[in-house]
Amino acid sequence: MIATASPVTDLADRIRAGSHVSLARGLTLVESRSGVATELLAEIWKDSGRAHVVGVTGPAGSGKSTLVTQMGHEYVERGAKVAILAVDPSSAYSGGAILGDRIRMTELAGRENVFIRSMASRGATGGLSRAVLDGIVLLDAAGYDVVILETVGVGQSEVDVISVAHSVLVVSVPGLGDDIQAIKAGLIEIADIHVVNKADRPGADLTVKQLRESIRLAHRQGGDWNVPILKTTAATGDGVAELLDETAKHRGWMTEHGALREVERRNAATRIRWAAEAIIAERLRPGHRDFDVAVDALIARDEEPRQAAARLLTAMAVNPTRINGRRPL
Amino acid sequence: MIATASPVTDLADRIRAGSHVSLARGLTLVESRSGVATELLAEIWKDSGRAHVVGVTGPAGSGKSTLVTQMGHEYVERGAKVAILAVDPSSAYSGGAILGDRIRMTELAGRENVFIRSMASRGATGGLSRAVLDGIVLLDAAGYDVVILETVGVGQSEVDVISVAHSVLVVSVPGLGDDIQAIKAGLIEIADIHVVNKADRPGADLTVKQLRESIRLAHRQGGDWNVPILKTTAATGDGVAELLDETAKHRGWMTEHGALREVERRNAATRIRWAAEAIIAERLRPGHRDFDVAVDALIARDEEPRQAAARLLTAMAVNPTRINGRRPL
């Protein structure tokens, strides 16, 4: 029971070894944005970078949760380890309620090689995006081959969150004509695969047709990937296998055309900026000698704010060990 | 008509020389947070630091605008140059409407040595606080002896904005018992002077008594300044001269007890942090060679995000001229 390594290293080891309890603890640290989370991420970063991150989004009532559950089962059948991160940016407004519709997931959650977690916004949307991005690193390093990122609702926050995924699946449903309009507003541009769920309902073919037209009109970025429109009936599992095939195909295309690397570059850029902001926030505050000196120089009008900031960044660089210094758990 | 200096230097010169048009232009730049604003502030910073910043806040209906107008007249009578910055953090919700009750100010605005400006939030409250802090620098450098910072409403945003002032005046009014409760929520702690306006109304003495009790119960920071409660009737001007006397007295006390310097230190710290964040945002983005190299190192798992960020801050420091580089207007 005597710790031979640091607590953070221990936690990282246990996450790598597949402990669900440690992984859950790590995700809680990431959500709370504690300093320990930064250390944990630094420790575990080199073990990440293998998982396929699949985003699933769409309006309420489209049956996303059921679809994601079925996808989870199918991935397990195919021998993959699968993690589901259900993100609810709006729960800050609804009072932090956990996602409904979780009951169906209980069975899936009980299976081996499955990990399910809800993540809610505890403040700014930016904070949630960061927690999601960090959470993916932990799940990835824990050996999950696929991380399904499910968002609830359709809005800018959802677009921000989902855009960290390698493959974005947008779910529509027949008979919600106006919702397809809503989707046009922002999701057509980011969809890699369209799913018309509840395809046993009347109007499924019309929805497919409307989506095809929307895709044609949209100026989609991302090269010559031919965005497919798939029909599924999540309740019965119909079309889910084909959806997984198509998702795998998309990943292959992404890798081949350098598009996967582009997503990774974008995510890496975001991570570096956030890390830099964290360093700044940590070092540029009263009580740090260099900072206090700069404050005095500013008041004396010996320097202007931008000059002082530039000088402080220099001073920080002279002391890189202090920047990388570890704190105890 | 041939410019001999840079456009930013020209603008700074004209602001220093007292041009209302140039000052208004500078404030618009500051509000829009353009890169030019940063250059302008760097140019003009050394000329600031003399103005007495007086914050005036309190609930709607307390007659703040009328009071501020009367204070403006009185300051001018005493030979001071006075600027009024009316801040409306809530106008982001009401659709950017300019403050009502501005009609009374028109007469004041017409006087020499007076400058009046409204500032509304165009996004995050943080953005407004920054615009206010930067705006004060411009008004200060333009030679205004007093900058009155008037906020509308009572909330955390108002507290954030008003806390940059040297002297904070909190306005109450008789007969709004519940509003005094609201004031207790956050303004008692930051008030340097209490004003019971509309003191010709019944209940003024009760309001004074309630305030006195609130002050007694509050754990006020800021040493042994004895927070006075003044009665005014802004509509007639009664009590306004005494209010100015008390405000001057507070400034004297602040200077004597090092409290003015404390406010300046706090504001300077905020300015340095914002400047550092701006430098980071400017340099840590795709297209900058060092940044692109760091992104690649991150993806290759040669570095983790915090390491990469620390190294980038070092690289920035090696190139300080690039940090301080001026851009053309």
Side-chain angles (χ1 to χ4, degrees), chain B residues 8 26-44 130 134 138 329:
Chain B
V8 170
L27 289 168
T28 302
L29 287 172
V30 152
E31 265 187 306
S32 66
R33 298 181 65 170
S34 78
V36 181
T38 308
E39 305 306 322
L40 178 61
L41 286 160
E43 185 69 39
I44 218 163
R130 181 169 176 176
D134 290 346
L138 295 189
L329 189 63

Side-chain angles (χ1 to χ4, degrees), chain B residues 251-267:
Chain B
R251 200 201 188 186
W253 182 90
M254 290 279 281
T255 310
E256 231 172 84
H257 291 73
L260 199 69
R261 191 164 180 88
E262 269 320 296
V263 175
E264 285 303 312
R265 288 187 68 85
R266 205 172 57 217
N267 290 347

Side-chain angles (χ1 to χ4, degrees), chain A residues 45 48 265 296 301 303, chain B residues 45 48 265 296 301 303:
Chain A
W45 173 253
S48 68
R265 289 186 68 85
D296 286 331
R301 264 66 191 172
E303 278 186 319
Chain B
W45 173 254
S48 69
R265 288 187 68 85
D296 286 332
R301 264 65 191 173
E303 278 188 319

Side-chain angles (χ1 to χ4, degrees), chain B residues 22-96:
Chain B
S22 298
L23 180 55
R25 169 131 194 264
L27 289 168
T28 302
L29 287 172
V30 152
E31 265 187 306
S32 66
R33 298 181 65 170
S34 78
V36 181
T38 308
E39 305 306 322
L40 178 61
L41 286 160
E43 185 69 39
I44 218 163
W45 173 254
K46 63 183 181 301
D47 304 298
S48 69
R50 279 177 292 263
H52 183 199
V53 183
V54 179
V56 180
T57 191
S62 59
K64 277 189 309 296
S65 288
T66 312
L67 183 67
V68 164
T69 305
Q70 295 283 18
M71 287 174 72
H73 280 297
E74 182 68 22
Y75 272 120
V76 174
E77 292 301 322
R78 296 183 180 196
K81 282 187 74 176
V82 62
I84 297 173
L85 205 53
V87 182
D88 189 357
S90 63
S91 71
Y93 306 103
S94 62

Side-chain angles (χ1 to χ4, degrees), chain A residues 38-39 41-42 45-49 140 261 264-265 268-269 271-273 275-280 282 284-286 291-292 294-296 298-299 301 303-310 312-314 316-317 320 323-325 327, chain B residues 38-39 41-42 45-49 140 261 264-265 268-269 271-273 275-280 282 284-286 291-292 294-296 298-299 301 303-310 312-314 316-317 320 323-325 327:
Chain A
T38 308
E39 304 308 321
L41 286 160
W45 173 253
K46 62 182 180 301
D47 305 298
S48 68
D140 191 339
R261 191 166 179 87
E264 285 304 313
R265 289 186 68 85
R271 287 181 166 112
I272 293 174
R273 263 194 302 267
E277 282 167 18
I279 293 172
I280 298 289
E282 193 179 285
L284 267 53
R285 63 178 183 206
F291 186 72
D292 291 342
V295 164
D296 286 331
L298 205 66
I299 294 174
R301 264 66 191 172
E303 278 186 319
E304 47 89 11
R306 194 173 163 88
Q307 245 177 332
L312 277 174
L313 293 174
T314 310
M316 283 169 59
I323 294 176
N324 285 314
R327 262 165 292 126
Chain B
T38 308
E39 305 306 322
L41 286 160
W45 173 254
K46 63 183 181 301
D47 304 298
S48 69
D140 191 339
R261 191 164 180 88
E264 285 303 312
R265 288 187 68 85
R271 286 181 167 113
I272 293 173
R273 263 193 303 268
E277 282 167 17
I279 293 172
I280 297 290
E282 193 179 285
L284 267 52
R285 64 177 182 207
F291 185 72
D292 290 342
V295 165
D296 286 332
L298 205 66
I299 294 174
R301 264 65 191 173
E303 278 188 319
E304 47 89 9
R306 195 174 164 88
Q307 246 179 330
L312 276 173
L313 293 174
T314 309
M316 282 169 59
I323 295 175
N324 285 314
R327 261 165 294 124

Side-chain angles (χ1 to χ4, degrees), chain B residues 133-165:
Chain B
L133 211 45
D134 290 346
I136 290 170
V137 173
L138 295 189
L139 295 166
D140 191 339
Y144 290 93
D145 305 295
V146 179
V147 176
I148 303 180
L149 201 58
E150 179 197 350
T151 67
V152 172
V154 184
Q156 189 53 49
S157 343
E158 285 78 4
V159 172
D160 288 348
V161 166
I162 212 79
S163 63
V164 309

